[in-house]
Amino acid sequence: YHIFYQVCECAPENKALSDVSIEAATQYDITKTTLKANNTDDRKNFAETKQAMDFIGFDAECQTNIFKVLSAILHAGNMSFSENAKNEADVASDKYLTTVSSMLGVDEEGMRKALCIRKISVGGESLEKPETQERAMSTRDALSKMLYAKLFDFVVER
């Protein structure tokens, strides 16, 4: 997960990163508990990562898309959920939902629905069942893990 710290460290002076809404590590729930590993130079490591991406043949557009997915994962980790009296979850604030949706190029309301409503097929009929706050958080976490795994596979397969 070092790439998250690298991009957060370099975001303030790197236009490619700031353009995809990446900020300092202190801004994200998944990075703010450990801000710096001992004997790690995230700026130097990011420069080496970028150099490797260029060498492998990732063009600027591909790199931007990789950074968008990393941004989506960072912002998704900050998404919280509220729950009404019927135990139905909703995204507590649209701030992170908007960024995640934008970075992934998906409809914001579609993303909200995917996180907060489960689709059930029964006897040829499709029903929608609102998720609880806990299940919505689990769905958010599963989405982040899947995005990271798919991104990792994509990079390794290149």
Side-chain angles (χ1 to χ4, degrees):
Y1 297 102
H2 298 289
I3 189 64
F4 293 112
Y5 296 96
Q6 292 174 17
V7 296
C8 289
E9 180 68 25
C10 296
E13 68 275 350
N14 186 304
K15 184 164 172 32
L17 298 174
S18 59
D19 283 352
V20 295
S21 301
I22 294 177
E23 302 173 49
T26 56
Q27 301 303 305
Y28 303 105
D29 290 346
I30 65 174
T31 55
K32 69 181 175 186
T33 54
T34 305
L35 296 176
K36 192 130 182 92
N38 290 333
N39 303 318
T40 301
D41 183 344
D42 288 322
R43 289 180 190 281
K44 179 179 171 248
N45 292 343
F46 182 70
E48 291 170 356
T49 298
K50 284 275 292 156
Q51 185 178 27
M53 291 171 86
D54 292 333
F55 180 78
I56 291 169
F58 289 120
D59 62 18
E61 181 182 6
C62 184
Q63 289 183 36
T64 296
N65 289 333
I66 289 169
F67 299 144
K68 283 181 177 181
V69 173
L70 294 172
S71 177
I73 294 167
L74 287 165
H75 286 89
N78 283 13
M79 267 195 285
S80 59
F81 299 87
S82 59
E83 195 170 68
N84 66 20
K86 295 180 185 178
N87 295 327
E88 298 170 340
D90 193 11
V91 177
S93 166
D94 287 348
K95 177 182 177 185
Y96 300 110
L97 176 68
T98 299
T99 303
V100 171
S101 300
S102 173
M103 292 300 108
L104 297 177
V106 299
D107 175 69
E108 193 172 319
E109 286 310 306
M111 177 64 74
R112 179 189 312 277
K113 192 172 180 180
L115 293 167
C116 298
I117 297 176
R118 182 174 12 147
K119 200 170 206 172
I120 303 169
S121 295
V122 179
E125 285 189 46
S126 185
L127 305 169
E128 292 184 349
K129 180 180 183 327
E131 296 285 20
T132 64
Q133 182 181 29
E134 184 178 325
R135 288 199 48 112
M137 289 187 299
S138 293
T139 300
R140 174 207 58 202
D141 294 346
L143 172 65
S144 295
K145 289 174 187 175
M146 184 273 309
L147 286 170
Y148 187 79
K150 294 294 184 184
L151 180 61
F152 182 85
D153 290 345
F154 172 76
V155 170
V156 169
E157 289 172 5
R158 278 297 280 253

